[in-house]
Amino acid sequence: MHNRTIIIAATATALALAGAAAAYSWSTTPDPKTEWTSAVTQAGFVPNAPHTYDEMFESSKAFCSTGSALAITGLARTALNPEQADTTAMPARGKDPDQAATAYGDATWKWACGHQQ
């Protein structure tokens, strides 16, 4: 009988911990900088040295005042000409400039500007 009590108690503890972990992971919000970095990396953006993704995320917040992802996309597009890849802080070498600008605009509006809806 004692062994059954230990097994039941261990099972109950494991279930409680699993439930708490699931509740925690469900209730936590994504980290905006991590999500933004992931999105722009997937779009092909790589910062030119000495710039970093952290710096680029903080800089991207300046675009929030434009009022929309579309406006940010337009601004980003002006800096994504292939001939500017060496002078732009964070180019998307080898990527379609229109698609890269759209991905940047969407990621910046959503994650840097806080419009996750």
Side-chain angles (χ1 to χ4, degrees), residues 6 16 26 41 44 52 79 92 95 97 99 105 110 114 117:
I6 292 173
W26 178 79
T41 301
T52 65
K95 301 297 180 181
Q99 291 177 351
K110 182 174 183 177
Q117 309 293 333

Side-chain angles (χ1 to χ4, degrees), residues 38-113:
S38 175
V40 298
T41 301
Q42 288 175 10
F45 287 93
V46 178
N48 280 328
H51 303 287
T52 65
Y53 285 109
D54 286 348
E55 175 191 355
M56 295 293 93
F57 174 75
E58 295 304 322
S59 296
S60 73
K61 292 178 183 179
F63 292 121
C64 297
S65 64
T66 64
S68 71
L70 184 60
I72 296 169
T73 296
L75 291 171
R77 179 60 184 90
T78 63
L80 289 176
N81 292 323
E83 58 273 4
Q84 293 177 298
D86 292 333
T87 58
T88 300
M90 191 171 71
R93 287 183 177 86
K95 301 297 180 181
D96 176 85
D98 293 326
Q99 291 177 351
T102 299
Y104 180 87
D106 291 345
T108 298
W109 186 248
K110 182 174 183 177
W111 298 110
C113 302

